[in-house]
């Protein structure tokens, strides 16, 4: 083969390859252009994913509010939009304390969330998440028996979800039934399929151990939460608070200093000062 012939063939091959790449790019471009815009349900689910993440700091509430706003602009009557709207209002109305006590929220937040949720409860076909949110609102109202019945509906609609078990565990804890609470939380942990879900279960295990278990079991669960999310300031802060309550001042100082190194917040600063005073007095 002469050099001229070789170069002609090489040039032809390059043209074929170039055409192949161009064709692939055109196909990808066409696919991208045909991708549907996010629906109201997509935006609502995105908001719920943010709110379920376990922490409401770091712009989570702002991003969730933007998701809900976009969803409502597309279809304010969508059942998932109703759920996300109700959950967002609750998150915005949270003040401090136990997230399953009504006194931890602005009173109008619970009433507003109940009203926003109604379209989702009336939707056909029904969705489990609407009944899970309804059960949470009933727990906040102190309506534990009604909440348990609502959770039975949610379980029927989505039996593989961790949340019916988790909320039953919360109810059992509030009713001071540690054995039933442990059974429900065991199942909740078995079905927990994300780090956020696992942490939500572990937080209730901490409450269970604090009231009905041992100090070491409580600390073990607090440390498991840190293992899952070591960058969460409040996880370290909660460990420090527990150690402070147990008068283990040196360990409390260490945990609270780690919390404040991640994020400064007033409660941890106050607890650190108390732990340091306790350590100095020994």
């Amino acid at each position: 083969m002469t050099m001229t012939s070789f170069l002609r063939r090489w040039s032809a091959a390059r043209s074929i390859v170039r055409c192949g790449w161009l064709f692939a790019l055109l196909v990808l471009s066409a696919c991208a252009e045909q991708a549907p815009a996010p629906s109201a349900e997509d935006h609502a689910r995105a908001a719920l994913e943010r709110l379920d993440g376990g922490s409401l700091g770091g712009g989570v509430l702002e991003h969730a509010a933007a998701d809900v706003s976009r969803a409502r602009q597309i279809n304010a009557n969508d059942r998932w939009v109703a759920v996300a709207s109700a959950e967002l209002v609750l998150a915005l109305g949270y003040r401090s304390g136990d997230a399953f006590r009504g006194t931890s929220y602005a009173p109008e937040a619970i009433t507003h969330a109940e009203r926003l949720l109604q379209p989702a409860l009336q939707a056909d076909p029904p969705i489990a998440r609407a009944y899970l949110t309804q059960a949470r609102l009933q727990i906040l109202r102190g309506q534990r028996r009604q909440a348990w019945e609502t959770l039975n509906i949610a379980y029927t609609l989505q039996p593989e979800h961790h949340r019916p078990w988790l909320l039953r565990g919360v109810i059992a804890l509030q009713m001071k039934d540690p054995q039933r609470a442990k059974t429900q939380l065991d199942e909740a942990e078995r079905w927990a399929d994300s780090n956020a879900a696992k942490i939500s279960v572990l937080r209730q295990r901490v409450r269970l151990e604090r009231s009905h278990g041992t100090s070491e079991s409580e600390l073990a669960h607090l440390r498991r939460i840190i293992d899952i999310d070591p960058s969460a300031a409040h996880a370290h802060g909660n460990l420090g608070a527990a150690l402070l309550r147990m008068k283990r001042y040196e360990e409390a100082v260490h945990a609270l200093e780690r919390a404040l190194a991640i994020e400064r917040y007033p409660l941890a600063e106050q607890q650190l000062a108390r732990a340091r005073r306790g350590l100095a007095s020994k």
Side-chain angles (χ1 to χ4, degrees), residues 192-252:
D193 59 357
S194 68
N195 285 342
K198 291 172 185 174
I199 288 173
S200 68
V201 177
L202 286 170
R203 284 174 177 159
Q204 298 309 310
R205 286 197 182 280
V206 168
R207 291 182 179 276
L208 175 62
E209 295 300 330
R210 184 180 303 157
S211 301
H212 305 284
T214 66
S215 297
E216 289 307 317
S217 295
E218 178 187 353
L219 294 175
H221 290 311
L222 286 165
R223 290 186 174 110
R224 285 181 64 195
I225 293 173
I226 291 172
D227 289 341
I228 294 172
D229 189 2
S231 65
H234 287 268
H236 295 279
N238 290 338
L239 174 61
L243 290 163
L244 176 60
R245 192 180 71 250
M246 298 171 194
K247 299 183 179 180
R248 293 165 61 166
Y249 298 121
E250 186 172 355
E251 295 170 87

Side-chain angles (χ1 to χ4, degrees), residues 28-185:
L28 289 172
S29 177
C31 290
E33 289 172 1
Q34 292 171 8
S39 65
E41 179 179 329
D42 293 332
H43 286 298
R45 284 177 175 267
L48 288 169
E49 187 174 348
R50 295 183 196 279
L51 295 171
D52 291 343
S55 172
L56 298 180
V60 168
L61 283 176
E62 291 80 358
H63 288 300
D67 287 327
V68 170
S69 177
R70 294 187 197 100
R72 296 186 71 83
Q73 288 172 9
I74 297 169
N75 183 1
N77 297 317
D78 182 271
R79 54 191 180 170
W80 283 98
V81 175
V83 174
S85 299
E87 291 281 1
L88 176 63
V89 164
L90 272 183
L92 291 169
Y94 176 73
R95 290 170 171 170
S96 63
D98 184 348
F100 293 102
R101 295 283 182 185
T103 52
S104 299
Y105 297 81
E108 63 274 13
I110 298 173
T111 302
H112 192 193
E114 289 171 334
R115 185 167 61 253
L116 288 168
L117 184 64
Q118 289 310 304
L121 294 172
Q122 297 163 7
D124 185 19
I127 53 173
R129 184 58 191 261
Y131 290 94
L132 291 170
T133 301
Q134 171 76 343
R136 182 183 171 196
L137 289 165
Q138 289 168 330
I139 291 170
L140 295 178
R141 291 288 194 193
Q143 300 166 348
R144 300 186 186 98
R145 184 179 298 277
Q146 296 96 316
W148 196 281
E149 293 171 357
T150 301
L151 289 168
N152 289 339
I153 299 172
Y155 175 78
T156 301
L157 293 169
Q158 195 174 1
E160 73 280 7
H161 203 286
H162 78 284
R163 204 176 295 262
W165 300 101
L166 171 65
L167 294 179
R168 288 190 191 118
V170 169
I171 294 170
L173 274 172
Q174 291 184 354
M175 297 181 72
K176 297 181 171 54
D177 187 343
Q179 188 54 52
R180 178 174 286 190
K182 182 181 183 305
T183 300
Q184 300 299 321
L185 294 175

Side-chain angles (χ1 to χ4, degrees), residues 13-29:
R14 281 188 65 190
S15 298
I16 292 170
V17 170
R18 188 182 297 113
C19 288
W21 277 108
L22 287 171
F23 177 77
L25 287 170
L26 286 170
V27 169
L28 289 172
S29 177

